[in-house]
Amino acid sequence: MKSYKFLLIKYYFVNIGIIGNGLMGSAIAHRLLERGFKVYLYNRTKKKSNTLVKRGAIRIVHPSIMGKKCNFVIISVTDGHAVKEILFGDNGLVNCHNKQLTVIDTSTVLPEDSIYCAELVKKKGYEIIQAPIMGGPDATRKGDVISIVSGNRKVSEKCRKILINFSKKIFYLGNQDGVANYVKLGLNLNIALIAISLSEALVFVKKSNTDPSIFLEILNSTYFKTGLSEIKGPKMIKDNFTPKFYLKNMLKDIQLLNQCAKNNGASLTFSSLAEQFYRIAANRGYSELDYTAILKLLNEFNNLNRSNKMN
Ligand SMILES: NC(=O)c1ccc[n+]([C@@H]2O[C@H](COP(=O)([O-])OP(=O)(O)OC[C@H]3O[C@@H](n4cnc5c(N)ncnc54)[C@H](OP(=O)(O)O)[C@@H]3O)[C@@H](O)[C@H]2O)c1
């Protein structure tokens, strides 16, 4: 208890701004508040930060004002377009005139966008690194995610003291901006395909009039289990698609990956197919569900729904 109080006092004088208070930005804010940091928030849609404000976070009206108050600003927004707006738009972060400012961009974006943003931010006299995250909001609140970092080594070292508060491990991939974003897209492609593969197996089992929970129990007792089959699997078979990572954002990531692959000359057949499946699911209205709602789509293709789960 004594050391926890010490932590709260130690960090209270480090001002951290968080731009983007969606699922991930809010989880980061919760964790940092709990660790004793003074947390400033900016979100385009104000009401998303209401709970955090009640817990002691301070709402700021523009990114540029946040940049004046904070030496570290974490960005957690949808895509490169949003990051550019936050950094360079009207009242953007780079207009803050605080040369002590360091930007930590945790958003999953196109590497080319990261490189563009890093060059321009540095040209304007501020520091920036990329630190995309592996792990969802629940893991973030427990300090249990993986941060993948690229950018200037010294700046990355400085940011470690912030990232370590919500990350169990930090991988530093070197000075070259954008590298972390390539790796992050590859990691997300793996998840997108595992979700499809698990969903097809569940459809097969249900079509065979076999209990999917027994299937999952056996899978999760083998070497072939995944975090997805263990954590999300039991929810998927109960049609619980409460979002932890929106399907629309998974679609966004596969689109980014396929765009990157095209630029790099990589031929990724299953990734192209996966993009189509997630797009169909989005067009069916599943964008705001968890990405594991890809199972819901495959169930429908097979005339399996809640009432005839085992036919
Ligand atoms: N959820 C996960 O498990 C997870 C894990 C790792 C990485 N990520 C990545 O982390 C980032 C945030 O994810 P999330 O799950 O928190 O997504 P989310 O809940 O959809 O939140 C997206 C955030 O981006 C903001 N935003 C979007 N467009 C904007 C714009 N043009 N200008 C300003 N703000 C804009 C949204 O503001 P409004 O509220 O105003 O719309 C919202 O705060 C994404 O890049 C995602 O791919 C997510």
Side-chain angles (χ1 to χ4, degrees), residues 21 23-24 43-45 48 77-78 108 135 244 249 252:
N21 308 148
L23 293 174
M24 281 305 272
N43 199 56
R44 199 177 46 174
T45 314
K48 283 195 191 166
V77 292
T78 309
T108 307
K244 298 292 178 185
N249 285 341
K252 175 259 305 182

Side-chain angles (χ1 to χ4, degrees), residues 141-158:
R141 281 169 196 244
K142 290 186 211 142
D144 208 21
V145 295
I146 304 288
S147 286
I148 310 157
V149 174
S150 58
N152 181 282
R153 181 177 291 277
K154 268 195 184 157
V155 180
S156 300
E157 265 316 307
K158 193 171 70 173

Side-chain angles (χ1 to χ4, degrees), residues 10 34 39 62 68 77 86 111 164 187-188 196 207 211 213 227 248-249 257 259 263 273 309 311:
K10 182 178 154 200
E34 204 175 272
V39 173
H62 294 304
K68 280 190 211 307
V77 292
I86 295 295
I164 205 64
L187 289 163
N188 268 28
I196 292 179
K207 276 292 203 191
D211 183 354
S213 60
K248 65 181 176 188
N249 285 341
L257 177 118
Q259 196 176 334
N263 297 342
L273 204 53
K309 254 194 205 156
N311 70 348

Side-chain angles (χ1 to χ4, degrees), residues 30 43 75 88 116 125 150 164 200 204 267 269 308:
H30 270 285
N43 199 56
I75 301 180
F88 312 119
Y116 170 87
S150 58
I164 205 64
E200 285 214 341
F204 168 74
S267 169
T269 324
N308 65 350

